Amino acid sequence: MTLHDVSKACDRSATGLSRVNEICFIGLVSYFEAFCKDHFASIINIEPTLLKGLRNSGHDTSIDPERLLDFRDDWVVKLGFLVSEKYDFGTAQKINALFMALLKISPFSKDEAKEYEAVLRDRNLLVHHGGTITLAYANQTSAPPANKSYTPYYDSLVVTADYFDQRLTFIRDIAAKLLRATYSALNSYIHQSGEQYSEERKKALDAFLWRYEDEPDADEHDIDDADTH
């Protein structure tokens, strides 16, 4: 749903600098980080016993018990958020480390981690330098075409619709991959533990595979069947 909204906001008529597209790209990366954190929390809410493995891997799982009082009887479904809010999901390496500790999966392959590093580099250039090419960025990136070089502190990163769609597709595919992997891993964990889930917990787990393209407003820029099967 978030990807759908951000994609619709993208200015597809822009051929040069577009502040709207820059903001859409920044939002895309920010929403993906939030997705990773919230999905991580939801897994803990569904299966709190996973906290043991997380703690054994060296991650701090402690919380202030007084904070649970704010939620009264609903604290069980808030536990994951209270634990996860202290973790950093800002890089592929950190996301991999957290999900490996939780469910023994790595959302990013080595090549995908490198690609996400480039995405973050562009995002940080926009956030911290307004998109103006810095010398450090020019030395790190191979983004310019072979027949063109950036002039540091003069040229800017241009976020076209094609540029945005390529990054959106990459982010979308990683998110879909993460959902499938966590669904499979959590099902295996449940089977091995011999625990019987209630219908409510089963429904929550099955929601990992919910497909946005079934919604009536989906368009050609939304998640397609190949990403969710």
Side-chain angles (χ1 to χ4, degrees):
M1 290 171 56
T2 302
L3 296 182
H4 175 69
D5 291 342
V6 176
S7 179
K8 287 181 65 176
C10 178
D11 182 1
R12 302 188 177 281
S13 65
T15 57
L17 285 174
S18 170
R19 303 308 179 194
V20 170
N21 290 352
E22 291 175 5
I23 293 171
C24 286
F25 174 63
I26 293 169
L28 172 66
V29 180
S30 299
Y31 289 131
F32 175 70
E33 181 178 337
F35 161 77
C36 291
K37 179 173 289 190
D38 288 345
H39 184 56
F40 191 89
S42 72
I43 294 170
I44 296 174
N45 288 340
I46 294 171
E47 188 52 62
T49 62
L50 289 169
L51 286 172
K52 181 177 180 181
L54 196 60
R55 182 193 61 202
N56 291 342
S57 297
H59 295 279
D60 182 11
T61 58
S62 64
I63 59 173
D64 182 352
E66 187 176 356
R67 299 188 66 188
L68 299 178
L69 298 178
D70 293 333
F71 303 108
R72 302 299 178 180
D73 294 338
D74 293 330
W75 70 267
V76 174
V77 294
K78 304 297 184 183
L79 181 62
F81 296 106
L82 292 173
V83 172
S84 300
E85 66 181 8
K86 68 179 70 178
Y87 299 148
D88 185 352
F89 290 79
T91 68
Q93 290 76 15
K94 291 175 180 179
I95 292 171
N96 274 354
L98 285 163
F99 278 96
M100 177 59 68
L102 190 70
L103 280 173
K104 310 301 181 189
I105 64 168
S106 296
F108 291 89
S109 67
K110 289 183 178 180
D111 288 342
E112 289 166 341
K114 290 180 180 179
E115 186 169 353
Y116 190 59
E117 182 180 346
V119 170
L120 291 177
R121 186 163 55 242
D122 287 358
R123 177 262 182 196
N124 291 339
L125 185 73
L126 289 166
V127 170
H128 300 296
H129 302 281
T132 302
I133 304 301
T134 64
L135 185 60
Y137 178 90
N139 289 335
Q140 292 173 354
T141 184
S142 58
N147 61 349
K148 181 182 185 298
S149 61
Y150 282 136
T151 300
Y153 311 111
Y154 178 80
D155 289 318
S156 296
L157 176 67
V158 178
V159 181
T160 64
D162 285 344
Y163 169 100
F164 174 81
D165 286 340
Q166 289 172 7
R167 275 81 184 163
L168 182 144
T169 297
F170 171 68
I171 293 294
R172 178 197 65 191
D173 290 349
I174 293 295
K177 176 184 175 184
L178 174 57
L179 289 169
R180 292 194 299 268
T182 50
Y183 178 83
S184 177
L186 186 50
N187 267 303
S188 296
Y189 178 88
I190 296 166
H191 178 74
Q192 292 172 7
S193 69
E195 185 173 356
Q196 297 297 315
Y197 267 26
S198 65
E199 288 301 317
E200 184 177 6
R201 291 174 81 188
K202 287 180 182 178
K203 184 177 180 180
L205 178 55
D206 289 343
F208 288 5
L209 302 184
W210 179 70
R211 299 179 298 163
Y212 182 70
E213 75 275 11
D214 289 336
E215 291 298 299
D217 291 333
D219 60 29
E220 67 271 19
H221 300 291
D222 295 328
I223 297 173
D224 54 40
D225 290 340
D227 298 312
T228 52
H229 289 172

